[in-house]
Amino acid sequence: MNTKLYVGNLSFDVIENDLQDLFSQHGPVNAVDLIMDKMSGRPRGFAFVSMATKEGADAAIQALNGKEWKGRALTVTRPVPAKNGRHIPAAPAEAEDARTAIN
């Protein structure tokens, strides 16, 4: 049961607590991993959120995918495992950004 979600198109001023608050409206959140740029230390505009239950993950996808939040339309999907065991987003348009961030 995969409850890890890819969250893309985030505003660059978002912090992990913002995501925790947003996703906890749909179920218990186990972890939030906001991807940061190694050079600048600033957010890269995407994150991974692990929900405690499949139902919570499904509810978050249903409610938040495409929703405007902090001036941007969110992308919320289940990530696809990459060959190296890490996750990349299911959305092809954002896959290249995620591959760069996790490699």
Side-chain angles (χ1 to χ4, degrees), residues 9 11 67-74:
N9 200 33
S11 171
K67 178 182 177 180
E68 187 159 323
W69 186 61
K70 294 190 178 260
R72 303 185 79 165
L74 295 177

Side-chain angles (χ1 to χ4, degrees), residues 1-21:
M1 161 177 68
N2 184 9
T3 60
K4 187 173 200 174
L5 302 176
Y6 166 79
V7 185
N9 200 33
L10 293 171
S11 171
F12 294 107
D13 65 351
V14 167
I15 60 173
E16 287 182 351
N17 285 344
D18 294 335
L19 290 168
Q20 175 82 32
D21 293 345

Side-chain angles (χ1 to χ4, degrees), residues 34-74:
L34 182 61
I35 306 303
M36 306 296 276
D37 183 82
K38 291 178 184 176
M39 299 299 270
S40 71
R42 297 187 61 203
R44 299 235 11 222
F46 67 98
F48 294 97
V49 176
S50 295
M51 302 295 289
T53 65
K54 180 186 180 307
E55 293 77 20
D58 292 341
I61 292 170
Q62 179 93 16
L64 299 175
N65 189 40
K67 178 182 177 180
E68 187 159 323
W69 186 61
K70 294 190 178 260
R72 303 185 79 165
L74 295 177

